[in-house]
Amino acid sequence: MNPKREKIFNAAVKKFSEKGTTGTTMKEISQEAGVGKGTLYRYFEDKEDLVSSLMSYGFERLTEVIKREIEGIESATDKIKKVVEVQLEFYKKHCDFCRFLTREFWGYKNKFEENIKEIRSDYTVVIEGIIEEGIEENEFKAKDPEVAAVSLIGMVNLTALHWFMFKGEVAVDKIREEVIDIFLSGMLN
Amino acid sequence: MNPKREKIFNAAVKKFSEKGTTGTTMKEISQEAGVGKGTLYRYFEDKEDLVSSLMSYGFERLTEVIKREIEGIESATDKIKKVVEVQLEFYKKHCDFCRFLTREFWGYKNKFEENIKEIRSDYTVVIEGIIEEGIEENEFKAKDPEVAAVSLIGMVNLTALHWFMFKGEVAVDKIREEVIDIFLSGMLN
Amino acid sequence: MNPKREKIFNAAVKKFSEKGTTGTTMKEISQEAGVGKGTLYRYFEDKEDLVSSLMSYGFERLTEVIKREIEGIESATDKIKKVVEVQLEFYKKHCDFCRFLTREFWGYKNKFEENIKEIRSDYTVVIEGIIEEGIEENEFKAKDPEVAAVSLIGMVNLTALHWFMFKGEVAVDKIREEVIDIFLSGMLN
Amino acid sequence: MNPKREKIFNAAVKKFSEKGTTGTTMKEISQEAGVGKGTLYRYFEDKEDLVSSLMSYGFERLTEVIKREIEGIESATDKIKKVVEVQLEFYKKHCDFCRFLTREFWGYKNKFEENIKEIRSDYTVVIEGIIEEGIEENEFKAKDPEVAAVSLIGMVNLTALHWFMFKGEVAVDKIREEVIDIFLSGMLN
DNA sequence: TATGAATGAGAATTCATTCAT
DNA sequence: AATGAATGAATTCTCATTCAT
């Protein structure tokens, strides 16, 4: 990627996470990025485009990493374990981005809405695929793979964010163990 | 509650859900509520206060309903089942409010931050309590009740919102069954 | 007319005449008018609306005055004399407005274009009517009343503006005599 | 003239006529001209200089053509006829330029103001000269040659522009006949 | 000599908030 | 108590101009 575009992305993530997209001004982003205000508009149509490009970019990176990491893993159970781990690591590393994402994803009508939905769908579908596979192989017993996939994402997403917001850091190991255990074996003794 | 305050709350929820808090103007809220713009400032200090009051109010209602509904239920397992059901019904009924909540909760510095954190904590703590109870009673096996509680909230929250956003309505029955099953018994066959 | 709207109109004419519509900022107008910047937007949709409203308003006033003044005059010749006199007086009195008009009328596409064309047409048509009348009464000999009408307007318009720009004031008496003489009797000896 | 300078002139006239000088960006001109944006600044000090150079250039061409065409013509009457014809042809051929001129000429303070006034004066003076000549030769009867000259220019200028704007084309023949007739013989029967 | 990426002053416009009625 | 006209700080975005390549 163009290095200046990347500089802008990094500055935007930081600011958006701290103050929200609407609470952040283009001027602040340009200052954080160390470029002129006008330069933002050379790389992005407008603020909306910057926000949605950033969201797409992040989702794509996350989906990419997950796809790459589960490659070669055989059982659906092991794949799920890896997915949880990779996601938590991603959240820990890019917690600014993840806060931004959680906040802005459930967004309101904007010109890029469809585009975003598609990207997010990609990400959900990967996890859904693993669950379907597990069902076929008789490893898993879920009736509705979509509910199961979104549930898993929800568990990881909210616990990670909860830790980040209330304790200051994502406790990857602790969360991973517990989440995997609950998701795979349930709470019942 | 003061009926005019309630009118304003209802108008605000509707608009905030449609267009976000920053995308909604005080004028729009006043028109939706059928009162003068100045009147809003009689009932709320400023916009920030309106947003955070609304958030507290909603969390309190949800916590209240949950507390009331699990009263008298004996086993932790049944309590969890009820919690999931009540939450999904609440999401279905007040999906505007829930979208607003998810978006605005992971909020950014504002004068009411501490207040909000406390309220949200109340809500988490109720569920954490049920889980702790279940552990004590040897019904549950979780190592970390907090992770477990937030995981459950995350599952319900995200599946409900996912259905609302991508399918237009929250499929309470389907989600409830699957989520309860996963949370209690896990995915493994 | 609303007194605040009028204050804004007067301020806008003055500034537009001095610096052109695009050379004048909304801030300057608001300062000249002694109102807040936001107030301009209570009375006009946007800058374009302010410009075109002003143009319509001026054309309407001019057309109105002309219509009123020629009422009761019998011969077309006398009517033409009155038209030239009234126009020159108007130009002298509102030379700011006239400079603005001449400059901005031959404008470029904008949302109010059709509206403006209609208003200007009204004004041209009045003069065309007098000429047609004169032809019917055998007073005048023009073959094309439209060319004749626009010619007269052009003579008055440009001489008045020329005097204003190059000599600082519109010499009403001198211009009136000569223009009427040329238009009615021609240059030939 | 330098061919690149001419390319820029042509591009600028086209754009200025379509969208006004302030509505046209330097980038648009450079693209229309097929040169880099920076190149414009090699041939013109700044935008103001481009506008005023263009205006001077056009006035000079028009004055030049008129001077050349009336050379050798004897009577003032015939010279006036030729002047009207030449002007109308020029307007028809360069209507973009003429619209630009009418709009921008009644210009506002800028660093090249004096220069422009002089050029325009040149043009007026040629026609004034013809009229003075006619008076001396007893062909014409005007009392004030300046009013007469500006009147003629006004007639031609506004009728041509009126036709261009409201009918899409300058009807040279029709306008010429009528304007010459009015100017020389007047309207009276 | 020619280019176009980068800049930042400045423009139009919005909107939370105030306050006279 | 209720209203909505008025305000101006703040925001997004544009574009003339510069300058390194």
Side-chain angles (χ1 to χ4, degrees), chain C residues 17-18 20 22 99 103-104 107-108 117 120 138-144 146-147 151 155 159 162-163 165 167 174 178 181 183-189, chain D residues 17-18 20 22 99 102-104 107-108 117 120 138-144 146-147 151 155 159 162-163 165 167 174 178 181 183-189:
Chain C
S17 165
E18 279 166 19
T22 28
R99 177 143 77 134
R103 212 185 120 94
E104 304 300 332
Y108 305 99
K117 277 194 173 182
R120 144 98 184 182
N138 235 27
E139 253 179 284
F140 292 163
K141 63 180 162 83
K143 287 185 220 100
D144 190 317
E146 193 175 355
V147 178
S151 290
M155 288 169 82
T159 45
H162 177 96
W163 247 257
M165 292 276 293
K167 330 243 159 166
K174 179 204 279 245
E178 187 84 8
D181 199 47
F183 189 72
L184 294 177
S185 320
M187 292 290 292
L188 291 182
N189 215 353
Chain D
S17 167
E18 280 166 17
T22 11
R99 176 141 79 134
T102 304
R103 235 186 99 92
E104 305 300 331
Y108 305 104
K117 277 196 173 179
R120 144 98 184 184
N138 234 27
E139 252 179 287
F140 292 163
K141 63 178 159 90
K143 287 184 221 105
D144 189 318
E146 192 175 357
V147 178
S151 290
M155 289 170 82
T159 45
H162 177 98
W163 248 256
M165 290 277 291
K167 330 247 161 166
K174 179 205 279 244
E178 187 85 8
D181 200 46
F183 189 73
L184 294 177
S185 321
M187 292 289 291
L188 291 183
N189 216 356

Coordinates of all heavy atoms in Angstrom, one line a residue, chain C residues 17-18 20 22 99 103-104 107-108 117 120 138-144 146-147 151 155 159 162-163 165 167 174 178 181 183-189, chain D residues 17-18 20 22 99 102-104 107-108 117 120 138-144 146-147 151 155 159 162-163 165 167 174 178 181 183-189:
Chain C
S17 N -21.8 44.5 -5.2 CA -21.4 45.5 -6.2 C -19.9 45.8 -6.1 O -19.2 46.0 -7.1 CB -22.2 46.8 -6.0 OG -21.6 47.9 -6.7
E18 N -19.4 45.9 -4.9 CA -18.0 46.3 -4.7 C -17.0 45.1 -5.1 O -16.0 45.3 -5.7 CB -17.7 46.5 -3.2 CG -18.1 47.9 -2.8 CD -18.1 48.0 -1.3 OE1 -17.5 47.2 -0.6 OE2 -18.7 49.0 -0.7
G20 N -18.2 41.8 -6.3 CA -18.7 40.6 -7.0 C -19.3 39.6 -6.1 O -19.0 39.6 -4.9
T22 N -19.0 36.3 -6.1 CA -18.0 35.2 -5.7 C -16.9 35.8 -4.9 O -16.3 35.1 -4.1 CB -17.5 34.4 -6.9 OG1 -17.5 35.3 -8.0 CG2 -18.4 33.2 -7.1
R99 N -24.8 47.6 -11.1 CA -23.6 47.0 -11.4 C -23.6 45.5 -11.2 O -23.2 44.6 -12.0 CB -22.4 47.6 -10.7 CG -21.1 46.9 -10.9 CD -19.9 47.9 -11.0 NE -19.5 48.3 -9.7 CZ -18.2 48.3 -9.3 NH1 -17.3 48.0 -10.1 NH2 -17.9 48.7 -8.1
R103 N -23.4 42.5 -14.1 CA -22.3 41.5 -14.0 C -22.8 40.1 -13.8 O -22.4 39.2 -14.4 CB -21.4 41.9 -12.7 CG -20.0 41.5 -12.9 CD -19.2 41.7 -11.7 NE -18.7 40.5 -11.2 CZ -17.4 40.1 -11.5 NH1 -16.6 40.8 -12.2 NH2 -17.0 38.9 -11.0
E104 N -23.8 40.0 -12.9 CA -24.3 38.6 -12.6 C -25.4 38.1 -13.4 O -25.6 36.9 -13.4 CB -24.7 38.6 -11.1 CG -23.7 39.1 -10.1 CD -22.4 38.3 -10.2 OE1 -22.4 37.1 -10.5 OE2 -21.3 38.8 -9.9
G107 N -25.3 35.1 -16.1 CA -24.7 34.1 -15.2 C -24.6 32.8 -15.8 O -24.9 32.5 -17.0
Y108 N -24.2 31.9 -14.9 CA -24.0 30.5 -15.3 C -25.0 29.7 -14.6 O -25.7 30.1 -13.7 CB -22.5 30.2 -14.9 CG -21.6 31.2 -15.6 CD1 -21.2 32.3 -14.9 CD2 -21.4 31.1 -17.0 CE1 -20.4 33.3 -15.5 CE2 -20.7 32.1 -17.6 CZ -20.2 33.2 -16.9 OH -19.4 34.1 -17.5
K117 N -34.6 34.0 -15.4 CA -34.9 34.3 -16.8 C -36.4 34.9 -17.0 O -36.6 35.8 -17.8 CB -34.8 33.1 -17.7 CG -33.3 32.8 -18.1 CD -33.3 31.7 -19.2 CE -31.9 31.5 -19.7 NZ -31.8 30.5 -20.8
R120 N -36.6 38.5 -15.7 CA -36.0 39.4 -16.7 C -36.9 39.5 -17.9 O -37.0 40.6 -18.5 CB -34.6 38.9 -17.1 CG -34.1 39.0 -18.5 CD -33.2 40.3 -18.7 NE -32.9 40.4 -20.1 CZ -32.2 41.3 -20.7 NH1 -31.6 42.1 -19.9 NH2 -32.0 41.3 -22.0
N138 N -48.8 53.3 -35.7 CA -48.1 53.9 -36.8 C -47.1 55.0 -36.3 O -46.6 55.8 -37.1 CB -49.1 54.5 -37.8 CG -48.7 54.0 -39.2 OD1 -48.2 52.9 -39.3 ND2 -49.0 54.8 -40.2
E139 N -46.8 55.1 -35.0 CA -45.9 56.0 -34.5 C -44.4 55.5 -34.8 O -43.6 56.3 -35.2 CB -46.0 56.1 -33.0 CG -46.7 57.4 -32.5 CD -46.8 57.3 -31.0 OE1 -47.7 56.6 -30.5 OE2 -46.0 58.0 -30.3
F140 N -44.2 54.2 -34.7 CA -42.9 53.6 -34.8 C -42.8 52.8 -36.1 O -43.8 52.3 -36.6 CB -42.5 52.8 -33.6 CG -42.3 53.5 -32.4 CD1 -42.4 52.8 -31.1 CD2 -42.1 54.9 -32.3 CE1 -42.2 53.5 -29.9 CE2 -41.9 55.5 -31.1 CZ -42.0 54.8 -29.9
K141 N -41.6 52.6 -36.5 CA -41.4 51.8 -37.7 C -40.6 50.5 -37.6 O -40.2 49.9 -38.6 CB -40.8 52.7 -38.8 CG -39.4 53.2 -38.5 CD -38.8 54.0 -39.6 CE -37.6 54.9 -39.1 NZ -36.3 54.2 -39.1
A142 N -40.3 50.1 -36.4 CA -39.4 49.0 -36.2 C -39.9 47.7 -36.8 O -41.1 47.5 -36.9 CB -39.2 48.7 -34.7
K143 N -39.0 46.9 -37.4 CA -39.4 45.6 -38.0 C -39.5 44.6 -36.9 O -40.3 43.7 -36.9 CB -38.4 45.2 -39.1 CG -38.5 46.0 -40.3 CD -37.6 45.5 -41.4 CE -36.9 46.6 -42.1 NZ -35.6 46.9 -41.7
D144 N -38.5 44.6 -36.0 CA -38.5 43.6 -34.9 C -38.5 44.2 -33.5 O -37.5 44.7 -33.0 CB -37.2 42.8 -35.1 CG -37.2 41.6 -34.2 OD1 -37.6 41.7 -33.0 OD2 -36.8 40.5 -34.7
E146 N -38.5 43.1 -30.6 CA -37.6 42.5 -29.6 C -36.2 43.1 -29.7 O -35.6 43.5 -28.8 CB -37.6 41.0 -29.7 CG -36.9 40.3 -28.5 CD -36.9 38.8 -28.6 OE1 -37.6 38.3 -29.5 OE2 -36.3 38.2 -27.7
V147 N -35.7 43.1 -31.0 CA -34.4 43.8 -31.2 C -34.4 45.2 -30.7 O -33.5 45.7 -30.0 CB -33.9 43.7 -32.6 CG1 -32.6 44.4 -32.8 CG2 -33.9 42.3 -33.1
S151 N -32.3 46.6 -27.7 CA -31.4 47.7 -28.0 C -31.5 48.9 -27.1 O -30.5 49.4 -26.6 CB -31.6 48.2 -29.4 OG -31.3 47.2 -30.4
M155 N -28.7 50.4 -24.6 CA -28.2 51.7 -24.6 C -28.2 52.3 -23.2 O -27.2 52.9 -22.8 CB -29.1 52.6 -25.5 CG -28.9 52.3 -27.0 SD -30.3 53.2 -27.9 CE -29.6 54.8 -28.1
T159 N -24.6 52.8 -21.1 CA -24.2 54.2 -20.9 C -24.2 54.5 -19.4 O -23.2 55.1 -18.9 CB -25.1 55.2 -21.6 OG1 -26.4 54.9 -21.4 CG2 -24.8 55.2 -23.1
H162 N -21.3 52.8 -17.8 CA -20.1 53.4 -18.2 C -19.8 54.7 -17.5 O -18.7 54.9 -17.0 CB -20.2 53.7 -19.7 CG -19.0 54.4 -20.4 ND1 -18.0 53.7 -21.0 CD2 -18.7 55.7 -20.4 CE1 -17.1 54.6 -21.5 NE2 -17.5 55.8 -21.1
W163 N -20.8 55.5 -17.3 CA -20.6 56.8 -16.6 C -20.3 56.5 -15.1 O -19.4 57.1 -14.6 CB -21.9 57.6 -16.7 CG -21.6 58.9 -17.5 CD1 -21.4 60.1 -17.0 CD2 -21.5 58.9 -18.9 NE1 -21.1 61.0 -18.1 CE2 -21.2 60.2 -19.3 CE3 -21.6 58.0 -20.0 CZ2 -20.9 60.7 -20.6 CZ3 -21.3 58.4 -21.2 CH2 -21.0 59.7 -21.6
M165 N -18.9 53.9 -13.8 CA -17.6 53.3 -13.7 C -16.4 54.3 -14.0 O -15.4 54.3 -13.4 CB -17.4 52.1 -14.6 CG -18.3 50.9 -14.2 SD -17.5 49.9 -12.9 CE -16.1 49.2 -13.8
K167 N -16.7 57.7 -14.7 CA -16.8 59.1 -14.2 C -17.3 59.2 -12.8 O -17.4 60.3 -12.3 CB -17.7 59.9 -15.1 CG -17.8 59.5 -16.6 CD -17.3 60.5 -17.5 CE -16.9 59.8 -18.8 NZ -16.7 60.8 -19.9
K174 N -27.9 64.5 -19.2 CA -27.2 64.4 -20.5 C -27.5 63.1 -21.2 O -27.8 63.1 -22.4 CB -25.7 64.5 -20.1 CG -24.8 64.4 -21.4 CD -23.4 63.9 -21.0 CE -22.5 65.1 -20.4 NZ -21.4 65.4 -21.3
E178 N -29.7 62.5 -25.0 CA -29.0 62.0 -26.1 C -29.6 60.6 -26.5 O -29.8 60.3 -27.7 CB -27.5 61.8 -25.8 CG -26.6 61.4 -27.0 CD -26.2 62.6 -27.9 OE1 -26.5 63.7 -27.5 OE2 -25.7 62.3 -29.0
D181 N -32.9 60.9 -28.0 CA -32.8 61.5 -29.4 C -32.4 60.4 -30.4 O -32.9 60.3 -31.4 CB -31.8 62.7 -29.3 CG -32.0 63.6 -30.5 OD1 -33.2 63.9 -30.8 OD2 -31.0 63.9 -31.2
F183 N -32.4 57.1 -30.1 CA -33.4 56.0 -30.3 C -34.6 56.5 -31.1 O -35.1 55.7 -31.9 CB -33.9 55.5 -28.9 CG -34.7 54.3 -29.0 CD1 -34.1 53.0 -29.3 CD2 -36.0 54.3 -28.8 CE1 -34.8 51.9 -29.4 CE2 -36.8 53.1 -28.8 CZ -36.2 51.9 -29.1
L184 N -35.1 57.7 -30.8 CA -36.3 58.1 -31.6 C -35.9 58.6 -33.0 O -36.6 58.2 -34.0 CB -37.0 59.1 -30.8 CG -37.7 58.6 -29.5 CD1 -38.3 59.7 -28.7 CD2 -38.6 57.4 -29.7
S185 N -34.9 59.5 -33.1 CA -34.7 60.1 -34.4 C -33.5 59.6 -35.1 O -33.2 60.0 -36.3 CB -34.5 61.7 -34.2 OG -35.4 62.1 -33.2
G186 N -32.6 58.9 -34.5 CA -31.4 58.4 -35.2 C -30.3 59.4 -35.2 O -30.5 60.5 -34.8
M187 N -29.2 59.0 -35.8 CA -28.0 59.8 -35.8 C -27.9 60.7 -37.1 O -27.2 61.7 -37.1 CB -26.8 58.9 -35.8 CG -26.5 58.2 -34.5 SD -26.1 59.2 -33.2 CE -24.4 59.7 -33.8
L188 N -28.6 60.3 -38.1 CA -28.5 61.0 -39.3 C -29.0 62.4 -39.3 O -30.0 62.7 -38.6 CB -29.1 60.3 -40.5 CG -28.4 58.9 -40.8 CD1 -29.2 58.3 -42.0 CD2 -27.0 59.2 -41.2
N189 N -28.4 63.3 -39.9 CA -28.7 64.7 -39.9 C -29.9 64.9 -40.9 O -29.8 64.5 -42.0 CB -27.5 65.5 -40.3 CG -27.6 66.8 -39.5 OD1 -28.6 67.1 -38.9 ND2 -26.5 67.6 -39.6
Chain D
S17 N -16.3 30.9 -19.9 CA -17.6 31.1 -20.4 C -18.6 30.2 -19.9 O -19.7 30.6 -19.5 CB -17.6 31.0 -22.0 OG -18.9 31.0 -22.4
E18 N -18.2 28.9 -19.7 CA -19.1 27.9 -19.2 C -19.4 28.1 -17.7 O -20.6 28.0 -17.3 CB -18.6 26.5 -19.4 CG -18.7 25.9 -20.8 CD -17.8 24.7 -20.9 OE1 -17.4 24.1 -19.9 OE2 -17.6 24.3 -22.1
G20 N -17.8 30.7 -15.5 CA -17.3 31.9 -14.8 C -15.9 31.8 -14.4 O -15.3 30.7 -14.3
T22 N -14.5 32.6 -11.5 CA -14.3 32.0 -10.1 C -14.8 30.6 -10.1 O -14.3 29.9 -9.2 CB -15.0 32.9 -9.1 OG1 -15.8 33.8 -9.7 CG2 -14.0 33.6 -8.2
R99 N -19.4 36.5 -23.7 CA -20.1 36.3 -22.4 C -19.1 36.6 -21.3 O -19.4 37.3 -20.3 CB -20.7 34.9 -22.4 CG -21.4 34.7 -21.0 CD -22.7 33.9 -21.1 NE -22.4 32.5 -21.2 CZ -23.1 31.6 -20.5 NH1 -24.0 31.9 -19.7 NH2 -22.8 30.3 -20.7
T102 N -18.5 40.3 -21.0 CA -19.6 41.1 -20.4 C -19.6 40.9 -18.9 O -19.9 41.8 -18.1 CB -20.9 40.7 -21.0 OG1 -20.8 40.9 -22.4 CG2 -22.0 41.6 -20.5
R103 N -19.5 39.7 -18.5 CA -19.5 39.3 -17.1 C -18.4 39.9 -16.3 O -18.6 40.5 -15.2 CB -19.5 37.8 -16.9 CG -20.7 37.3 -16.2 CD -20.5 35.8 -15.9 NE -20.0 35.6 -14.6 CZ -20.7 35.4 -13.5 NH1 -22.0 35.4 -13.6 NH2 -20.2 35.2 -12.4
E104 N -17.2 39.8 -16.8 CA -16.0 40.1 -16.1 C -15.6 41.6 -16.2 O -14.8 42.1 -15.4 CB -14.9 39.2 -16.4 CG -15.2 37.7 -16.2 CD -15.6 37.3 -14.8 OE1 -15.1 38.0 -13.8 OE2 -16.4 36.4 -14.6
G107 N -15.6 44.9 -13.8 CA -14.9 44.2 -12.8 C -14.7 45.0 -11.6 O -15.1 46.1 -11.4
Y108 N -14.0 44.3 -10.6 CA -13.8 44.9 -9.3 C -12.3 45.1 -9.2 O -11.5 44.5 -9.9 CB -14.5 43.9 -8.3 CG -15.9 43.7 -8.8 CD1 -16.3 42.6 -9.4 CD2 -16.8 44.8 -8.6 CE1 -17.6 42.4 -9.8 CE2 -18.1 44.6 -9.0 CZ -18.5 43.5 -9.6 OH -19.8 43.3 -10.1
K117 N -8.9 49.1 -18.2 CA -9.7 50.3 -18.5 C -9.1 51.0 -19.7 O -9.8 51.4 -20.6 CB -9.6 51.3 -17.3 CG -10.6 51.0 -16.2 CD -10.7 52.3 -15.3 CE -11.9 52.1 -14.3 NZ -12.0 53.3 -13.4
R120 N -10.1 48.9 -22.9 CA -11.5 49.1 -23.2 C -11.7 50.5 -23.8 O -12.5 50.8 -24.7 CB -12.3 48.9 -21.9 CG -13.5 49.8 -21.8 CD -14.8 49.1 -22.2 NE -15.9 50.1 -22.1 CZ -17.2 49.8 -22.3 NH1 -17.5 48.6 -22.7 NH2 -18.1 50.8 -22.2
N138 N -20.7 66.9 -40.9 CA -22.1 67.2 -41.0 C -23.0 66.0 -41.3 O -24.2 66.2 -41.7 CB -22.3 68.3 -42.0 CG -23.1 69.4 -41.3 OD1 -23.0 69.6 -40.0 ND2 -23.9 70.2 -42.0
E139 N -22.4 64.8 -41.3 CA -23.3 63.6 -41.5 C -24.2 63.3 -40.3 O -25.3 62.9 -40.4 CB -22.4 62.4 -41.8 CG -22.3 62.0 -43.2 CD -21.3 60.8 -43.3 OE1 -20.1 61.0 -43.2 OE2 -21.8 59.7 -43.5
F140 N -23.5 63.5 -39.1 CA -24.2 63.1 -37.9 C -24.6 64.4 -37.1 O -24.0 65.4 -37.3 CB -23.3 62.2 -37.0 CG -23.1 60.9 -37.6 CD1 -22.0 60.1 -37.1 CD2 -23.9 60.3 -38.6 CE1 -21.8 58.8 -37.6 CE2 -23.7 59.1 -39.1 CZ -22.6 58.3 -38.6
K141 N -25.5 64.2 -36.2 CA -26.0 65.3 -35.4 C -25.8 65.2 -33.9 O -26.3 66.0 -33.1 CB -27.4 65.6 -35.7 CG -28.4 64.5 -35.3 CD -29.8 64.8 -35.5 CE -30.7 63.6 -35.6 NZ -31.3 63.2 -34.3
A142 N -25.1 64.2 -33.5 CA -25.0 63.9 -32.0 C -24.4 65.1 -31.3 O -23.5 65.7 -31.8 CB -24.2 62.7 -31.7
K143 N -24.9 65.3 -30.0 CA -24.3 66.4 -29.2 C -23.1 65.8 -28.4 O -22.2 66.5 -28.2 CB -25.4 66.9 -28.2 CG -26.4 67.8 -28.9 CD -27.4 68.3 -27.9 CE -28.8 68.3 -28.4 NZ -29.6 67.2 -27.8
D144 N -23.3 64.6 -28.0 CA -22.2 64.0 -27.2 C -21.7 62.7 -27.8 O -22.4 61.6 -27.6 CB -22.8 63.8 -25.7 CG -21.7 63.4 -24.8 OD1 -20.8 62.6 -25.2 OD2 -21.7 63.9 -23.6
E146 N -19.5 60.7 -27.0 CA -19.2 59.6 -26.0 C -20.5 58.8 -25.7 O -20.5 57.6 -25.8 CB -18.6 60.1 -24.7 CG -18.0 59.0 -23.9 CD -17.3 59.5 -22.7 OE1 -17.1 60.7 -22.5 OE2 -16.8 58.6 -21.9
V147 N -21.6 59.5 -25.4 CA -22.8 58.9 -25.1 C -23.3 58.1 -26.4 O -23.7 56.9 -26.3 CB -24.0 59.9 -24.8 CG1 -25.3 59.1 -24.6 CG2 -23.6 60.7 -23.5
S151 N -23.6 54.1 -26.4 CA -25.0 53.6 -26.8 C -24.9 52.6 -27.9 O -25.6 51.5 -27.7 CB -25.9 54.8 -27.3 OG -26.1 55.7 -26.2
M155 N -26.1 48.7 -27.5 CA -27.1 48.1 -28.4 C -26.6 46.8 -28.9 O -27.3 45.7 -28.8 CB -27.4 49.0 -29.6 CG -28.2 50.2 -29.2 SD -28.3 51.4 -30.6 CE -29.7 50.6 -31.5
T159 N -27.9 43.1 -27.4 CA -28.8 42.3 -28.3 C -28.1 41.0 -28.6 O -28.7 39.9 -28.6 CB -29.1 43.0 -29.6 OG1 -27.9 43.6 -30.1 CG2 -30.2 44.1 -29.4
H162 N -28.2 38.8 -25.6 CA -29.6 38.4 -25.4 C -29.9 37.2 -26.3 O -30.5 36.2 -25.9 CB -30.5 39.6 -25.6 CG -31.9 39.3 -25.5 ND1 -32.7 39.6 -24.4 CD2 -32.8 38.8 -26.4 CE1 -33.9 39.2 -24.5 NE2 -34.1 38.8 -25.8
W163 N -29.6 37.4 -27.6 CA -29.9 36.3 -28.5 C -29.1 35.0 -28.2 O -29.7 33.9 -28.2 CB -29.6 36.7 -30.0 CG -30.8 36.9 -30.8 CD1 -31.3 36.1 -31.7 CD2 -31.8 38.0 -30.6 NE1 -32.5 36.5 -32.2 CE2 -32.8 37.7 -31.6 CE3 -31.8 39.2 -29.9 CZ2 -33.9 38.6 -31.7 CZ3 -32.9 40.0 -30.0 CH2 -33.9 39.7 -30.9
M165 N -28.1 34.0 -25.3 CA -28.5 33.4 -24.1 C -29.9 32.9 -24.2 O -30.3 31.8 -23.6 CB -28.5 34.4 -22.9 CG -27.2 34.9 -22.4 SD -26.5 33.7 -21.3 CE -27.6 33.9 -19.8
K167 N -31.9 32.5 -27.2 CA -32.3 31.8 -28.4 C -31.1 30.8 -28.8 O -31.3 30.1 -29.8 CB -32.6 32.8 -29.5 CG -33.1 34.1 -29.1 CD -34.5 34.3 -29.6 CE -35.1 35.4 -28.7 NZ -36.4 35.9 -29.3
K174 N -30.5 39.7 -38.9 CA -31.6 40.4 -38.4 C -31.2 41.5 -37.4 O -31.7 42.7 -37.5 CB -32.5 39.4 -37.6 CG -33.7 40.0 -36.9 CD -34.2 39.1 -35.7 CE -35.0 37.9 -36.2 NZ -36.4 38.0 -35.7
E178 N -31.6 45.9 -38.1 CA -32.5 46.7 -37.2 C -31.6 47.7 -36.4 O -32.0 48.8 -36.2 CB -33.2 45.7 -36.2 CG -34.2 46.4 -35.3 CD -35.6 46.6 -36.0 OE1 -35.8 46.0 -37.1 OE2 -36.5 47.2 -35.4
D181 N -30.5 50.5 -38.5 CA -31.6 51.3 -38.8 C -31.9 52.3 -37.6 O -32.1 53.5 -37.8 CB -32.8 50.5 -39.2 CG -33.8 51.3 -40.0 OD1 -33.4 52.0 -40.9 OD2 -35.0 51.2 -39.7
F183 N -30.1 53.1 -35.0 CA -29.0 54.0 -34.7 C -28.9 55.1 -35.7 O -28.7 56.3 -35.3 CB -27.7 53.3 -34.6 CG -26.6 54.1 -34.0 CD1 -26.6 54.4 -32.6 CD2 -25.6 54.6 -34.8 CE1 -25.6 55.2 -32.1 CE2 -24.5 55.4 -34.2 CZ -24.5 55.6 -32.9
L184 N -29.1 54.8 -36.9 CA -28.9 55.9 -37.9 C -30.2 56.7 -38.1 O -30.1 57.9 -38.1 CB -28.4 55.3 -39.2 CG -27.0 54.7 -39.2 CD1 -26.7 54.1 -40.5 CD2 -26.0 55.8 -38.8
S185 N -31.3 56.0 -38.2 CA -32.6 56.8 -38.6 C -33.5 56.9 -37.4 O -34.5 57.6 -37.5 CB -33.3 56.1 -39.7 OG -32.4 55.6 -40.6
G186 N -33.4 56.2 -36.3 CA -34.3 56.3 -35.2 C -35.6 55.5 -35.4 O -35.7 54.9 -36.4
M187 N -36.4 55.6 -34.4 CA -37.6 54.8 -34.4 C -38.8 55.5 -35.0 O -39.8 54.8 -35.4 CB -38.0 54.4 -32.9 CG -37.0 53.5 -32.2 SD -37.2 51.8 -32.9 CE -38.8 51.4 -32.3
L188 N -38.8 56.8 -35.0 CA -39.9 57.5 -35.5 C -40.2 57.3 -36.9 O -39.3 57.2 -37.8 CB -39.8 59.0 -35.2 CG -39.8 59.4 -33.7 CD1 -39.7 60.9 -33.5 CD2 -41.1 58.9 -33.0
N189 N -41.5 57.3 -37.2 CA -41.9 57.1 -38.6 C -41.9 58.4 -39.4 O -42.3 59.4 -38.9 CB -43.3 56.5 -38.6 CG -43.5 55.5 -39.7 OD1 -42.6 55.3 -40.5 ND2 -44.7 54.9 -39.7

